């Protein structure tokens, strides 16, 4: 995976504290329950757009073999320090998820707050690439910010974000088993200004007879 340009979060991740906190996302908690080591010994998991690692470190703590990917080097450095302090190991890679090529398959392909950075015209191909690199009966879990006419744009939304339409995320998994999907509104204070988001979440499973 080749090194890429900076993330809009580099300054925040380079500062003290954890911009997104250390509490894992609700999607992370669901995946731990669903696909934790009770199901497969040390399942491989890739966390795309991992930020400072609140989920990646939680996955490692729960017995997953974790690779964490982000554009932000300061984020990855903070994640590696955090994992080390916890006595855990997470492989890190700086890469642009819009174009990088996976070289192996994973039991779990995970992201929170990342896929709305994918360009709409390339999303289908990007999801197909990620789905192809998932083991038989492997899991995908993603969340995407979605556009709602009654919600103003978030004050810290970067220029690279293109919000999903409701239901779009589910469409990329039409040929997989949908284990969970939901849309919620939530309050957020990222960037220091209170605002609201709408978010779609999905967990889907690849057919057991497919994959490598
Ligand atoms: C909203 S943050 C979520 C961080 C983390 N998943 C969490 O929930 O704490 C989105 C993350 O995606 C990363 N990101 C944005 N565009 C990216 C890209 N094209 N390739 C890789 N990472 C990207 C950002 O650097 C940022 O860390």
């Amino acid at each position: 995976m080749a090194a890429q340009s900076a993330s809009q979060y580099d300054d925040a991740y380079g500062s003290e504290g954890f911009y997104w906190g250390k509490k894992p996302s609700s999607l992370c908690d669901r995946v731990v329950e669903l696909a934790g080591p009770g199901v497969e010994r040390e399942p491989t998991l890739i966390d795309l757009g991992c930020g400072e690692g609140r989920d990646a470190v939680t996955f490692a703590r729960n017995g997953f073999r974790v690779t964490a990917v982000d554009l932000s080097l300061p984020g990855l450095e903070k994640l590696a320090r955090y994992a080390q302090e916890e006595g855990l190991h997470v492989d890190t890679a700086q890469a642009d998820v819009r174009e990088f090529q996976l070289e192996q398959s994973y039991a779990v392909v995970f992201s929170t707050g990342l896929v709305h950075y994918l360009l709409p015209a390339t999303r289908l191909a990007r999801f197909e690439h990620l789905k192809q690199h998932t083991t038989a009966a492997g899991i995908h879990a993603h969340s995407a910010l979605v556009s709602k006419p009654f919600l103003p744009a978030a004050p810290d939304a970067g220029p690279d974000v293109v919000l999903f339409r409701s239901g779009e995320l589910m469409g990329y998994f039409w040929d997989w088993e949908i284990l969970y999907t939901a849309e919620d509104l939530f309050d957020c204070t990222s960037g220091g200004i209170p605002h609201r988001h709408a978010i779609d979440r999905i967990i889907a499973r690849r057919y057991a007879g497919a994959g490598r």
Side-chain angles (χ1 to χ4, degrees):
M1 298 177 198
Q4 300 293 329
S5 56
S7 157
Q8 67 169 108
Y9 294 106
D10 280 354
D11 288 345
Y13 294 167
S15 309
E16 286 292 306
F18 280 71
Y19 189 77
W20 305 109
K22 285 184 171 175
K23 185 175 182 295
S25 66
S26 60
L27 198 61
C28 170
D29 289 337
R30 277 181 187 270
V31 170
V32 169
E33 273 176 33
L34 197 68
V39 180
E40 183 189 322
R41 202 166 163 270
E42 221 190 357
T44 53
L45 179 146
I46 188 162
D47 181 354
L48 303 170
C50 58
E52 305 154 296
R54 61 184 178 134
D55 291 334
V57 169
T58 301
F59 285 127
R61 190 180 292 123
N62 282 279
F64 291 81
R65 187 148 30 106
V66 182
T67 302
V69 175
D70 204 284
L71 264 187
S72 174
L73 211 46
L76 294 169
E77 288 168 353
K78 191 183 273 182
L79 185 162
R81 284 195 301 277
Y82 177 29
Q84 196 177 22
E85 283 161 18
E86 298 283 308
L88 300 166
H89 178 75
V90 173
D91 286 323
T92 57
Q94 188 193 24
D96 188 338
V97 172
R98 286 169 295 196
E99 55 194 37
F100 83 136
Q101 299 292 313
L102 290 180
E103 287 161 4
Q104 68 168 87
S105 294
Y106 293 86
V108 182
V109 177
F110 177 90
S111 75
T112 51
L114 178 273
V115 293
H116 41 258
Y117 288 94
L118 299 175
L119 299 171
T122 66
R123 282 179 187 164
L124 182 59
R126 289 278 74 199
F127 274 107
E128 282 308 313
H129 176 73
L130 297 172
K131 287 165 70 183
Q132 287 293 323
H133 289 82
T134 310
T135 58
I139 299 282
H140 270 230
H142 304 284
S143 68
L145 294 178
V146 296
S147 167
K148 290 286 176 188
F150 51 85
L151 289 183
D156 61 345
D160 295 340
V161 169
V162 184
L163 299 179
F164 274 48
R165 289 183 70 87
S166 284
E168 179 184 346
L169 187 56
M170 201 169 166
Y172 296 118
F173 292 91
W174 69 273
D175 51 347
W176 284 26
E177 183 185 0
I178 309 289
L179 302 176
Y180 163 76
T181 184
E183 180 168 286
D184 295 301
L185 303 184
F186 69 97
D187 296 314
C188 183
T189 53
S190 65
I193 304 170
H195 53 279
R196 298 202 93 193
H197 289 292
I199 191 166
D200 281 7
R201 297 188 181 87
I202 193 165
I203 302 178
R205 178 159 54 206
R206 188 174 191 179
Y207 169 58
R212 308 171 214 179

